Protein backbone atom coordinates (compact mmCIF):
# COMPACT_ATOMS: atom_id res chain seq x y z
CA UNK A 1 0.00 0.00 0.00
CA UNK A 2 1.34 3.43 -0.95
CA UNK A 3 1.40 5.84 2.00
CA UNK A 4 -0.32 9.26 1.76
CA UNK A 5 3.06 10.96 2.39
CA UNK A 6 4.55 9.20 -0.61
CA UNK A 7 1.56 10.24 -2.71
CA UNK A 8 1.94 13.90 -1.71
CA UNK A 9 5.67 13.86 -2.46
CA UNK A 10 5.27 12.19 -5.86
CA UNK A 11 2.04 13.71 -7.14
CA UNK A 12 1.89 17.03 -5.31
CA UNK A 13 4.38 18.91 -7.52
CA UNK A 14 2.47 17.84 -10.65
CA UNK A 15 -0.69 19.43 -9.20
CA UNK A 16 0.87 22.83 -8.48
CA UNK A 17 -0.32 24.34 -11.81
CA UNK A 18 -3.87 23.15 -11.02
CA UNK A 19 -3.85 24.85 -7.62
CA UNK A 20 -2.46 28.06 -9.13
CA UNK A 21 -5.10 28.07 -11.89
CA UNK A 22 -7.85 27.47 -9.33
CA UNK A 23 -6.60 30.41 -7.28
CA UNK A 24 -6.61 32.58 -10.41
CA UNK A 25 -10.26 31.67 -11.03
CA UNK A 26 -11.37 32.59 -7.50
CA UNK A 27 -9.21 35.72 -7.27
CA UNK A 28 -10.41 37.15 -10.58
CA UNK A 29 -14.01 35.99 -9.98
CA UNK A 30 -15.15 37.28 -13.38
CA UNK A 31 -18.89 38.13 -13.38
CA UNK A 32 -21.10 35.32 -14.68
CA UNK A 33 -23.45 37.93 -16.12
CA UNK A 34 -20.84 38.92 -18.73
CA UNK A 35 -19.76 35.71 -20.50
CA UNK A 36 -16.72 35.92 -22.74
CA UNK A 37 -13.96 33.75 -24.15
CA UNK A 38 -11.67 35.13 -21.46
CA UNK A 39 -14.01 34.00 -18.68
CA UNK A 40 -14.36 30.62 -20.41
CA UNK A 41 -10.57 30.26 -20.54
CA UNK A 42 -10.16 31.18 -16.88
CA UNK A 43 -12.89 28.72 -15.86
CA UNK A 44 -11.42 25.88 -17.95
CA UNK A 45 -7.79 26.54 -16.99
CA UNK A 46 -7.78 24.28 -13.88
CA UNK A 47 -9.17 21.42 -16.00
CA UNK A 48 -6.49 22.04 -18.64
CA UNK A 49 -3.95 21.70 -15.81
CA UNK A 50 -5.43 18.32 -14.89
CA UNK A 51 -4.87 17.27 -18.51
CA UNK A 52 -1.22 18.19 -17.99
CA UNK A 53 -1.18 16.35 -14.66
CA UNK A 54 -2.13 13.09 -16.37
CA UNK A 55 0.11 13.75 -19.36
CA UNK A 56 3.01 14.31 -16.93
CA UNK A 57 2.86 10.58 -16.21
CA UNK A 58 3.70 9.97 -19.85
CA UNK A 59 1.74 9.13 -22.97
CA UNK A 60 2.87 5.56 -22.50
CA UNK A 61 1.09 5.44 -19.15
CA UNK A 62 -2.18 6.63 -20.69
CA UNK A 63 -1.91 4.29 -23.66
CA UNK A 64 -1.15 1.32 -21.40
CA UNK A 65 -3.99 2.02 -18.97
CA UNK A 66 -7.46 2.35 -20.56
CA UNK A 67 -9.06 3.57 -17.33
CA UNK A 68 -6.63 6.49 -17.08
CA UNK A 69 -7.28 7.28 -20.74
CA UNK A 70 -11.05 7.38 -20.10
CA UNK A 71 -10.57 9.77 -17.21
CA UNK A 72 -8.38 11.97 -19.43
CA UNK A 73 -11.04 12.01 -22.17
CA UNK A 74 -13.66 12.71 -19.48
CA UNK A 75 -11.66 15.78 -18.48
CA UNK A 76 -11.66 16.91 -22.12
CA UNK A 77 -15.45 16.66 -22.28
CA UNK A 78 -15.62 18.46 -18.91
CA UNK A 79 -13.68 21.42 -20.29
CA UNK A 80 -16.05 21.63 -23.28
CA UNK A 81 -19.00 21.43 -20.89
CA UNK A 82 -17.54 24.21 -18.73
CA UNK A 83 -17.21 26.43 -21.80
CA UNK A 84 -20.83 25.79 -22.81
CA UNK A 85 -22.06 26.62 -19.30
CA UNK A 86 -20.39 30.02 -19.47
CA UNK A 87 -23.13 30.83 -22.00
CA UNK A 88 -25.91 28.83 -20.31
CA UNK A 89 -28.22 31.87 -20.19
CA UNK A 90 -27.77 32.20 -23.96
CA UNK A 91 -29.22 28.73 -24.53
CA UNK A 92 -26.19 26.47 -24.07
CA UNK A 93 -27.13 24.83 -20.77
CA UNK A 94 -28.31 21.64 -22.47
CA UNK A 95 -25.05 21.45 -24.44
CA UNK A 96 -23.09 21.59 -21.19
CA UNK A 97 -25.42 19.01 -19.63
CA UNK A 98 -24.76 16.60 -22.49
CA UNK A 99 -20.98 17.08 -22.26
CA UNK A 100 -21.00 16.24 -18.57
CA UNK A 101 -23.30 13.27 -19.17
CA UNK A 102 -20.60 11.86 -21.47
CA UNK A 103 -18.02 12.67 -18.79
CA UNK A 104 -19.88 10.62 -16.19
CA UNK A 105 -20.20 7.66 -18.56
CA UNK A 106 -16.45 7.78 -19.20
CA UNK A 107 -15.66 8.02 -15.49
CA UNK A 108 -18.01 5.14 -14.66
CA UNK A 109 -16.34 3.06 -17.36
CA UNK A 110 -12.94 3.93 -15.92
CA UNK A 111 -13.97 2.87 -12.41
CA UNK A 112 -15.20 -0.47 -13.75
CA UNK A 113 -17.82 -2.96 -12.60
CA UNK A 114 -15.73 -4.86 -10.05
CA UNK A 115 -16.52 -5.21 -7.24
CA UNK A 116 -20.23 -4.93 -7.97
CA UNK A 117 -21.23 -3.67 -4.48
CA UNK A 118 -24.99 -4.02 -4.92
CA UNK A 119 -25.75 -2.48 -1.52
CA UNK A 120 -23.86 0.66 -2.49
CA UNK A 121 -25.74 0.69 -5.79
CA UNK A 122 -29.07 0.39 -3.98
CA UNK A 123 -28.22 3.29 -1.67
CA UNK A 124 -27.20 5.44 -4.65
CA UNK A 125 -30.40 4.51 -6.49
CA UNK A 126 -32.55 5.57 -3.53
CA UNK A 127 -30.63 8.82 -3.11
CA UNK A 128 -30.86 9.63 -6.82
CA UNK A 129 -34.61 9.00 -6.71
CA UNK A 130 -34.97 11.37 -3.78
CA UNK A 131 -32.89 14.02 -5.54
CA UNK A 132 -35.00 13.77 -8.69
CA UNK A 133 -38.20 13.93 -6.63
CA UNK A 134 -36.91 17.14 -5.05
CA UNK A 135 -36.10 18.66 -8.44
CA UNK A 136 -39.18 17.40 -10.32
CA UNK A 137 -41.65 20.17 -9.35
CA UNK A 138 -39.32 22.78 -10.87
CA UNK A 139 -38.72 20.91 -14.13
CA UNK A 140 -40.65 21.44 -17.34
CA UNK A 141 -40.47 20.43 -20.98
CA UNK A 142 -37.39 18.49 -22.09
CA UNK A 143 -35.67 19.12 -18.75
CA UNK A 144 -38.12 16.72 -17.12
CA UNK A 145 -36.41 13.89 -18.99
CA UNK A 146 -32.91 15.29 -19.46
CA UNK A 147 -32.41 15.98 -15.76
CA UNK A 148 -33.79 12.54 -14.90
CA UNK A 149 -31.30 10.84 -17.21
CA UNK A 150 -28.47 13.02 -15.92
CA UNK A 151 -29.27 12.24 -12.29
CA UNK A 152 -29.24 8.52 -13.15
CA UNK A 153 -25.87 8.82 -14.92
CA UNK A 154 -24.09 10.76 -12.19
CA UNK A 155 -25.52 8.40 -9.56
CA UNK A 156 -24.27 5.42 -11.55
CA UNK A 157 -20.85 7.05 -11.75
CA UNK A 158 -20.93 7.64 -8.00
CA UNK A 159 -21.85 3.99 -7.39
CA UNK A 160 -18.94 2.74 -9.46
CA UNK A 161 -16.53 5.19 -7.83
CA UNK A 162 -17.55 4.13 -4.32
CA UNK A 163 -17.94 0.41 -5.02
CA UNK A 164 -14.28 -0.37 -4.43
CA UNK A 165 -13.89 1.91 -1.43
CA UNK A 166 -12.42 0.12 1.59
CA UNK A 167 -11.11 2.26 4.43
CA UNK A 168 -9.55 -0.56 6.45
CA UNK A 169 -7.69 -3.78 5.76
CA UNK A 170 -5.04 -4.86 3.33
CA UNK A 171 -7.18 -3.94 0.32
CA UNK A 172 -7.19 -0.22 1.26
CA UNK A 173 -5.96 1.99 -1.59
CA UNK A 174 -5.81 5.76 -1.65
CA UNK A 175 -6.94 5.84 -5.30
CA UNK A 176 -10.33 4.37 -4.37
CA UNK A 177 -10.66 6.96 -1.61
CA UNK A 178 -9.84 9.72 -4.12
CA UNK A 179 -12.36 8.37 -6.64
CA UNK A 180 -15.16 7.99 -4.09
CA UNK A 181 -14.55 11.42 -2.55
CA UNK A 182 -14.33 13.00 -5.99
CA UNK A 183 -17.60 11.44 -7.11
CA UNK A 184 -19.38 12.60 -3.93
CA UNK A 185 -18.14 16.18 -4.40
CA UNK A 186 -19.19 16.09 -8.08
CA UNK A 187 -22.72 15.07 -7.04
CA UNK A 188 -22.84 17.89 -4.46
CA UNK A 189 -21.68 20.40 -7.07
CA UNK A 190 -24.21 19.31 -9.70
CA UNK A 191 -27.05 19.06 -7.19
CA UNK A 192 -26.33 22.64 -6.15
CA UNK A 193 -26.49 23.72 -9.80
CA UNK A 194 -29.84 21.96 -10.23
CA UNK A 195 -31.36 23.36 -7.05
CA UNK A 196 -30.22 26.88 -7.90
CA UNK A 197 -31.48 26.68 -11.48
CA UNK A 198 -34.76 24.79 -11.07
CA UNK A 199 -35.90 25.15 -7.45
CA UNK A 200 -34.68 28.09 -5.39
CA UNK A 201 -31.69 30.43 -5.11
CA UNK A 202 -28.86 28.78 -3.20
CA UNK A 203 -26.79 31.24 -1.13
CA UNK A 204 -23.21 31.54 -2.40
CA UNK A 205 -24.10 28.95 -5.02
CA UNK A 206 -21.30 29.77 -7.45
CA UNK A 207 -18.58 29.50 -4.78
CA UNK A 208 -20.02 26.20 -3.54
CA UNK A 209 -20.45 24.82 -7.06
CA UNK A 210 -16.97 25.67 -8.30
CA UNK A 211 -15.05 24.75 -5.14
CA UNK A 212 -16.63 21.29 -4.95
CA UNK A 213 -16.34 20.86 -8.74
CA UNK A 214 -12.62 21.61 -8.93
CA UNK A 215 -11.92 19.44 -5.89
CA UNK A 216 -13.95 16.61 -7.45
CA UNK A 217 -12.10 16.75 -10.75
CA UNK A 218 -8.71 16.85 -9.02
CA UNK A 219 -9.51 13.79 -6.90
CA UNK A 220 -10.86 11.83 -9.87
CA UNK A 221 -7.77 12.73 -11.91
CA UNK A 222 -5.61 11.67 -8.96
CA UNK A 223 -7.42 8.34 -8.79
CA UNK A 224 -6.20 7.57 -12.33
CA UNK A 225 -2.59 7.32 -11.18
CA UNK A 226 -2.93 3.63 -10.31
CA UNK A 227 -5.72 3.07 -12.83
CA UNK A 228 -7.51 0.53 -10.63
CA UNK A 229 -5.26 -2.25 -11.80
CA UNK A 230 -4.29 -4.95 -9.29
CA UNK A 231 -1.74 -3.66 -6.82
CA UNK A 232 0.74 -6.44 -7.55
CA UNK A 233 0.56 -5.85 -11.32
CA UNK A 234 1.01 -2.12 -10.88
CA UNK A 235 4.05 -2.62 -8.66
CA UNK A 236 5.55 -4.99 -11.22
CA UNK A 237 4.93 -2.57 -14.10
CA UNK A 238 6.63 0.24 -12.13
CA UNK A 239 9.76 -1.85 -11.66
CA UNK A 240 10.05 -2.88 -15.33
Amino acid sequence: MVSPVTVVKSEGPKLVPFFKATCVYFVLWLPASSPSWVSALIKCLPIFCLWLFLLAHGLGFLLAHPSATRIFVGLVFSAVGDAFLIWQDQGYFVHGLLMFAVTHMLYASAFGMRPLALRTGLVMAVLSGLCYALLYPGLSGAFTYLVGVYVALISFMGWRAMAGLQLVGAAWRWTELAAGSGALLFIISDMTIALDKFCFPVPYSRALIMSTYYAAQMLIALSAVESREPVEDYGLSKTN
Side-chain angles (χ1 to χ4, degrees), residues 25-156:
Y25 174 83
F26 284 105
V27 168
L28 292 180
W29 200 245
L30 298 177
S33 58
S34 303
S36 67
W37 285 108
V38 173
S39 56
L41 176 63
I42 296 300
K43 183 182 181 184
C44 294
L45 195 57
I47 306 303
F48 295 159
C49 292
L50 292 178
W51 297 1
L52 296 178
F53 167 73
L54 290 180
L55 289 172
H57 292 83
L59 282 175
F61 172 81
L62 290 178
L63 294 174
H65 301 86
S67 58
T69 302
R70 291 177 191 129
I71 288 177
F72 179 82
V73 177
L75 287 168
V76 173
F77 275 94
S78 294
V80 177
D82 282 332
F84 276 131
L85 291 180
I86 286 288
W87 286 278
Q88 60 177 295
D89 292 335
Q90 284 72 37
Y92 289 94
F93 181 80
V94 172
H95 299 72
L97 191 74
L98 293 175
M99 292 300 102
F100 280 107
V102 174
T103 294
H104 296 316
M105 288 189 286
L106 287 164
Y107 286 172
S109 177
F111 298 144
M113 292 301 295
R114 291 184 298 177
L116 193 57
L118 287 176
R119 289 183 180 178
T120 303
L122 180 60
V123 170
M124 291 303 299
V126 171
L127 291 176
S128 66
L130 292 174
C131 288
Y132 184 68
L134 178 62
L135 296 172
Y136 184 80
L139 302 175
S140 61
F143 283 119
T144 305
Y145 310 102
L146 290 174
V147 171
V149 172
Y150 187 87
V151 168
L153 285 174
I154 195 172
S155 299
F156 180 75

